[in-house]
Amino acid sequence: MQFDDEQDPTPSGELVLQTLALPKDTNSNGDVFGGWLMYQMDLAGAIAAREIAKGRVTTVSVGGMSFLRPVPVGGTVSCYCEILSVGRSSIKCCIEVWVKHYNRETQQKVTETEFVYVAIDDAGRTRPVSC
Ligand SMILES: CC(C)(COP(=O)(O)OP(=O)(O)OC[C@H]1O[C@@H](n2cnc3c(N)ncnc32)[C@H](O)[C@@H]1OP(=O)(O)O)[C@@H](O)C(=O)NCCC(=O)NCCS
């Protein structure tokens, strides 16, 4: 997948989660696992969706993903969330991940995808987001 920094120089959405890539999160190349990034993205989306659902949510679907560049140890990882739509019980959002190397001034996009969350009650049944 090609990525053009000139065409997409800034993140879309609101900064919801920011963390640091640590040695324990890396593969043998010294870069973080894709699954670790997906975990951060799911956390970020859940934080945003819970605000809208005003309560418990669960992840019902995740879109496809391409990783555009590696995330090194020490990189600051930022997850941005843009709410795309809100249905009866579902909340669809786009999560973008950007990384900033400690010795650089700008951050670069790593990946993005859509997550869908569903508002659920204490029994795990769907509920309207307005309740
Ligand atoms: C999420 C869950 C409660 C939904 O139950 P369900 O019987 O499919 O509910 P519904 O068919 O009424 O769908 C609820 C909403 O989710 C949406 N939805 C369901 N499956 C979807 C999918 N694959 N992609 C996108 N949206 C989906 C529906 O369109 C509906 O949206 P709306 O209410 O805004 O119109 C149920 O599938 C579940 O518990 N899944 C496991 C979730 C989980 O454990 N996630 C963590 C990862 S293991």
Side-chain angles (χ1 to χ4, degrees), residues 58-61 87-90 116 118 120 124 126:
T58 190
T59 314
V60 74
S61 87
R88 188 192 78 88
S89 68
S90 66
V116 181
V118 174
I120 53 172
T126 64

Side-chain angles (χ1 to χ4, degrees), residues 97-109:
V97 177
W98 290 66
V99 66
K100 183 176 174 300
H101 298 232
Y102 66 90
N103 56 357
R104 291 205 189 149
E105 293 199 354
T106 57
Q107 55 180 357
Q108 295 178 299
K109 191 173 183 179

Side-chain angles (χ1 to χ4, degrees), residues 34-80:
W36 181 83
L37 279 183
M38 293 164 72
Y39 174 62
Q40 306 305 324
M41 294 168 83
D42 196 16
L43 283 178
I47 290 168
R50 278 196 328 183
E51 289 296 315
I52 292 167
K54 299 191 172 28
R56 193 170 157 186
V57 296
T58 190
T59 314
V60 74
S61 87
V62 184
M65 294 175 69
S66 296
F67 296 98
L68 307 171
R69 48 177 54 86
V71 173
V73 167
T76 300
V77 174
S78 300
C79 296
Y80 294 82

